[in-house]
Amino acid sequence: MGCGSCSTGGGCSPAGCKSNGSCLTNGCSKLDVYDWLSHMDMPTNYKPFGIIEVKFKGSRKEFFLNNDNIYLEAGELVVVEAATGGYDVGHVSITGELVRMQMVKRRVKEEEVVKKIYRKATVADVDKWKAAKDLEWETMHKSRTLALELNLSMKLSDVDYQGDKTKATFYYTAEGRVDFRELIKKMAETFRIRIEMRQIGMRQEASRLGGIGSCGRELCCSTWLTDFKTVSTSAARYQNLSLNTLKLAGQCGKLKCCLNYELDTYMDALKHIPDNVNVLKTERGDARLQKTDIFKKLMWFSYPREESWIPLPIARVKEIQQLNKDGVIPPDLGVVVELESIPVKALDYENVVGQDSLTRLDERRNQNKKKNKNRNKNQRPGGQGDGAASTPRPEANAGQVQGQQPARKQEGRPEGGNPNRNKNFRPNRNNQNRPGNPNGDRDRGNQPGKE
């Protein structure tokens, strides 16, 4: 299940390795990209672009110079120059002309890229990089304990070790400014490495940690969303959503980014809806607005002391609104849209496996119980077999009175009593099959006082 594109020969973990995006070669990577130029043939005199984009843990991506013209493919582990000395290990995300387009998007000039790629990662580099990654979990919990001892109002969310295991970057969230100088001293004494503290927002924290949203999919910020746009409550108002904080907030505690996805569609539909149409004056009474369907372009009104709502098209609403402005009061609302005449698109749905029933498992369990009960009846000693189950026996029905069931006789028990009460009772099983006793009655001649 390991990847085949990295230099370690399949050393990366498979999908779902819970590495928080440090593995880029399979489905567990975050902010993945697709090279849509990979199938195109470049000209013969084409010179490859000399800058490579490398991805590190989380959503951190940086550009590096490929001065030695090393042939690199997406997903390979490379050793690159670190910003504060030493080296780091990361995955190649994109190469070629896509890097040039990405630099234009992020407004990075070629002259600003100074760090370079050293080599492809060797086995020793990968082992040291993995050993550094294994220390992150323990380091984060120890640093949280140190922060609690110092009573610092901050939350350490993630730790990122450098590939050479000489530096660690701590990401934290806080409401205000935090004096963590004493914390850095204790961390340096405990871990014996260089410490860098970096404050991030609540959205960036959710992006680094990842998770599952209320829609059932992975968080957009941890899979494909690269920038965070401002989300306001007006986006929920335009979409007629209830202003419930618990429903509108995501895992970061802020408003969901997906509130902006359909906002443009709602804004285009609202252009045709008239404003300030809360009341329409008619001779019948003042009709008040109850509901608006911006996509079907219908508006529902109701008269006072009436429970029924009257749907009107937008053209009729604008007409009555203009009449009221001119001082004319119409007799009633006029044209009423029949909801049955509105075409409803039929969904192509077919219940193939019966998964629309919530009790489908209970029905199957009840059927199995009935089968087992019938099987046990057929397997009882002296009972009827499968072939005689449907045909009645004439001998058994001959001595029965209509409406009266025959008395049951259990083997080893006296009739009409509990065998534990009469301890001297010893049934003679050999008398059941004697000649002259066809009904299997027990021989009671051995008991005193009975003939």
Side-chain angles (χ1 to χ4, degrees), residues 21-137:
S22 61
C23 174
L24 187 69
T25 56
N26 212 332
C28 60
S29 60
K30 297 195 295 184
L31 301 178
D32 220 347
V33 293
Y34 175 72
D35 190 359
W36 50 275
L37 296 176
S38 58
H39 65 284
M40 299 181 64
D41 296 332
M42 296 299 175
T44 54
N45 57 351
Y46 170 74
K47 183 179 180 181
F49 191 59
I51 299 178
I52 305 295
E53 186 187 68
V54 180
K55 181 181 180 299
F56 302 93
K57 181 182 178 181
S59 58
R60 183 167 65 97
K61 292 182 179 180
E62 296 182 11
F63 300 102
F64 296 90
L65 294 173
N66 189 10
N67 295 330
D68 298 335
N69 293 327
I70 305 173
Y71 178 73
L72 298 172
E73 294 182 357
E76 289 186 326
L77 277 171
V78 290
V79 178
V80 298
E81 180 183 0
T84 57
Y87 66 88
D88 202 355
V89 179
H91 291 88
V92 176
S93 57
I94 53 176
T95 59
E97 294 299 320
L98 285 181
V99 182
R100 193 194 305 271
M101 300 175 64
Q102 195 71 11
M103 292 177 64
V104 173
K105 179 182 177 182
R106 297 173 59 178
R107 299 178 182 179
V108 178
K109 298 181 180 180
E110 297 184 17
E111 297 80 12
E112 298 177 359
V113 181
V114 294
K115 295 183 288 185
K116 59 182 179 180
I117 296 177
Y118 288 143
R119 61 185 180 275
K120 289 186 179 181
T122 61
V123 178
D125 296 331
V126 174
D127 293 340
K128 194 171 185 179
W129 173 65
K130 287 186 176 180
K133 293 299 178 184
D134 293 338
L135 295 175
E136 292 179 353
W137 184 260

Side-chain angles (χ1 to χ4, degrees), residues 183-438:
L183 178 63
I184 292 179
K185 292 180 181 179
K186 290 191 175 183
M187 284 183 178
E189 295 176 357
T190 305
F191 306 121
R192 300 293 180 181
I193 54 175
R194 288 180 293 141
I195 305 296
E196 180 183 353
M197 304 294 293
R198 186 172 297 179
Q199 185 175 2
I200 58 177
M202 303 298 290
R203 295 181 184 271
Q204 286 78 9
E205 180 187 14
S207 174
R208 295 188 64 86
L209 299 180
I212 304 297
S214 59
C215 58
R217 299 175 62 91
E218 294 185 44
L219 298 180
C220 299
C221 56
S222 62
T223 52
W224 63 272
L225 198 62
T226 56
D227 53 348
F228 299 97
K229 296 182 179 180
T230 304
V231 185
S232 61
T233 55
S234 60
R237 290 192 181 97
Y238 285 127
Q239 301 177 43
N240 293 330
L241 299 175
S242 106
L243 300 179
N244 189 352
T245 309
L246 297 177
K247 294 183 179 180
L248 297 181
Q251 291 191 2
C252 57
K254 307 294 183 180
L255 292 176
K256 295 180 181 179
C257 299
C258 55
L259 292 176
N260 288 337
Y261 295 166
E262 300 178 358
L263 182 59
D264 294 338
T265 305
Y266 278 87
M267 295 298 294
D268 293 339
L270 285 172
K271 292 179 181 179
H272 307 284
I273 305 298
D275 298 331
N276 301 325
V277 200
N278 296 329
V279 178
L280 294 179
K281 295 182 179 180
T282 62
E283 296 180 358
R284 187 177 172 182
D286 294 344
R288 294 187 176 276
L289 178 65
Q290 301 294 341
K291 176 184 174 183
T292 302
D293 193 332
I294 62 176
F295 296 111
K296 292 183 180 180
K297 297 181 180 180
L298 293 176
M299 302 180 73
W300 276 263
F301 290 86
S302 66
Y303 287 108
R305 298 179 181 179
E306 291 186 8
E307 297 181 356
S308 60
W309 292 2
I310 302 174
L312 294 178
I314 294 178
R316 177 58 180 171
V317 174
K318 291 181 179 179
E319 181 182 353
I320 298 177
Q321 186 182 17
Q322 185 63 34
L323 291 175
N324 292 154
K325 288 182 180 180
D326 297 338
V328 179
I329 299 177
D332 55 4
L333 295 177
V335 181
V336 178
V337 178
E338 295 182 2
L339 298 179
E340 298 179 355
S341 62
I342 301 176
V344 179
K345 183 179 179 182
L347 300 177
D348 297 334
Y349 173 75
E350 183 178 358
N351 180 20
V352 181
V353 293
Q355 292 187 358
D356 59 345
S357 176
L358 296 177
T359 60
R360 63 184 186 277
L361 299 178
D362 298 336
E363 294 175 356
R364 188 179 303 173
R365 191 179 298 111
N366 294 335
Q367 291 177 1
N368 294 335
K369 287 183 178 180
K370 290 181 180 179
K371 290 181 181 179
N372 296 334
K373 191 178 294 183
N374 295 333
R375 191 178 305 164
N376 295 334
K377 287 182 179 180
N378 296 332
Q379 292 179 357
R380 286 180 179 176
Q384 298 178 358
D386 295 336
S390 59
T391 58
R393 296 178 60 183
E395 298 86 356
N397 298 331
Q400 295 181 10
V401 182
Q402 186 175 1
Q404 181 179 0
Q405 295 183 357
R408 295 183 180 179
K409 297 181 180 180
Q410 298 182 2
E411 184 178 350
R413 291 187 181 182
E415 297 181 3
N418 191 349
N420 295 328
R421 296 179 181 176
N422 190 359
K423 298 182 180 180
N424 298 324
F425 174 74
R426 294 292 184 270
N428 191 353
R429 298 178 184 273
N430 296 328
N431 296 332
Q432 295 180 8
N433 298 325
R434 287 182 179 180
N437 193 8

Side-chain angles (χ1 to χ4, degrees), residues 147-165:
L148 289 175
E149 293 177 355
L150 296 175
N151 295 325
L152 297 178
S153 58
M154 59 185 296
K155 177 186 176 184
L156 291 168
S157 59
D158 198 9
V159 181
D160 188 6
Y161 264 87
Q162 197 168 283
D164 55 358
K165 208 164 59 173

